[in-house]
Amino acid sequence: MRKKVVAGNWKCNTTLQEGVELAVAVNSIVAEKGAKDVVVVLGTPFTHITKVFESVDNSRIGVSAQNCAAEAKGAFTGEVSAAMVKSTGAGYVILGHSERREYYGETSAILNKKVALALENDLTPIFCCGEPLEIREAGSQKAYVIQQLEETIFQLSESDFKKIIVAYEPIWAIGTGKTATTEQAQEMHKDIREAMAAKFGADVAAEISILYGGSCNPKNAAELFANPDVDGGLIGGASLKAEDFIQIINAY
Ligand code: PGA
């Protein structure tokens, strides 16, 4: 059975103190009323990972970086390597987010190096894909997203591919308040799973969690998560409020 995952992506928000406060709040409500069968992950800024990791019940809440370097180590001023992320206690790293692709020029070639380093260091990549508005309007979203996957994680060996969590995030839905409809989400998730099955076989495809991201909130999460191929969410804005985040965790 593939895992249900709800991962917060705090992006470039919260000071260290605010982040720890948020993590502590999430931790206590997850302990009190969090759905036991949902894997909960907090994607924090690099500066917060260690403290957040130390502030939560590590058997209930995983911690994720939002990026890692494309190089293992060395003279790359300002970069944070996958090994460094791992050494904090984090278990996950978000890679290929559309904001990184768009604002920081992350190409498939760069992402392949990052994914390889994440896997070498035992981090689970939460690998993002998703189309911009003009592609959706042209109706070519399926080909666009599958190509993103073919250029990246579909190049992995089967054993490595099985370690990946995929997040489908239509760019036009991120931070816009404009969520994909439940039909749009299910259709793309199904297309992604079918493409995985064609590449790695149906058994492998059935085990990969595919999260939806893009203005997912306490109001729409239940409807989105009810789809057979939607295995949870990657949550931006709504992960910054513990009360909203817990409602999404409990939306199954
Ligand atoms: P959002 O962001 O929930 O604020 O739309 C999602 C994401 O970018 O991961």
Side-chain angles (χ1 to χ4, degrees):
M1 262 289 278
R2 57 182 176 262
K3 292 188 180 107
K4 300 172 183 176
V5 182
V6 174
N9 176 9
W10 293 0
K11 307 193 180 183
C12 189
N13 292 299
T14 73
T15 61
L16 175 60
Q17 292 73 21
E18 289 163 349
V20 170
E21 214 174 286
L22 174 58
V24 167
V26 170
N27 188 57
S28 63
I29 29 189
V30 164
E32 200 192 314
K33 52 181 179 182
K36 293 270 183 302
D37 59 341
V38 176
V39 175
V40 179
V41 178
L42 300 178
T44 82
F46 287 131
T47 43
H48 303 16
I49 300 177
T50 306
K51 277 243 176 202
V52 166
F53 182 78
E54 288 167 0
S55 307
V56 298
D57 174 356
N58 305 128
S59 70
R60 279 299 275 126
I61 298 182
V63 184
S64 178
Q66 301 169 17
N67 180 29
C68 70
E71 307 295 337
K73 63 177 185 172
F76 302 102
T77 302
E79 288 293 281
V80 176
S81 72
M84 292 172 195
V85 171
K86 182 67 185 179
S87 69
T88 64
Y92 302 81
V93 58
I94 298 168
L95 291 174
H97 192 283
S98 57
E99 288 153 15
R100 303 259 359 138
R101 292 178 192 255
E102 188 180 343
Y103 308 145
Y104 301 97
E106 295 198 358
T107 60
S108 294
I110 293 171
L111 291 172
N112 286 339
K113 289 167 84 174
K114 294 188 176 197
V115 168
L117 286 161
L119 290 169
E120 266 170 42
N121 286 285
D122 248 340
L123 291 168
T124 299
I126 301 176
F127 189 86
C128 305
C129 56
E131 80 286 357
L133 184 60
E134 62 273 18
I135 297 288
R136 169 64 63 169
E137 283 175 346
S140 37
Q141 65 273 9
K142 177 179 172 186
Y144 185 94
V145 168
I146 302 303
Q147 171 148 5
Q148 284 183 321
L149 300 175
E150 269 169 3
E151 288 176 2
T152 54
I153 53 173
F154 281 12
Q155 314 260 334
L156 293 170
S157 67
E158 183 183 313
S159 61
D160 277 344
F161 183 73
K162 284 178 170 165
K163 298 173 187 158
I164 304 276
I165 294 172
V166 173
Y168 167 60
E169 300 203 305
I171 298 171
W172 45 271
I174 295 176
T176 57
K178 199 175 165 205
T179 321
T181 64
T182 178
E183 292 80 15
Q184 285 172 326
Q186 169 56 23
E187 189 181 23
M188 180 62 82
H189 283 229
K190 184 165 169 283
D191 289 341
I192 293 172
R193 202 175 306 284
E194 281 172 5
M196 287 174 179
K199 177 84 190 159
F200 296 99
D203 291 351
V204 172
E207 288 304 311
I208 305 287
S209 299
I210 308 176
L211 317 185
Y212 169 79
S215 299
C216 185
N217 61 43
K219 289 205 179 78
N220 59 29
E223 203 187 324
L224 286 161
F225 296 175
N227 288 299
D229 287 296
V230 177
D231 307 309
L234 181 57
I235 317 299
S239 71
L240 294 169
K241 288 198 193 121
E243 275 303 334
D244 285 357
F245 194 52
I246 192 73
Q247 288 182 54
I248 297 173
I249 293 165
N250 288 343
Y252 276 103

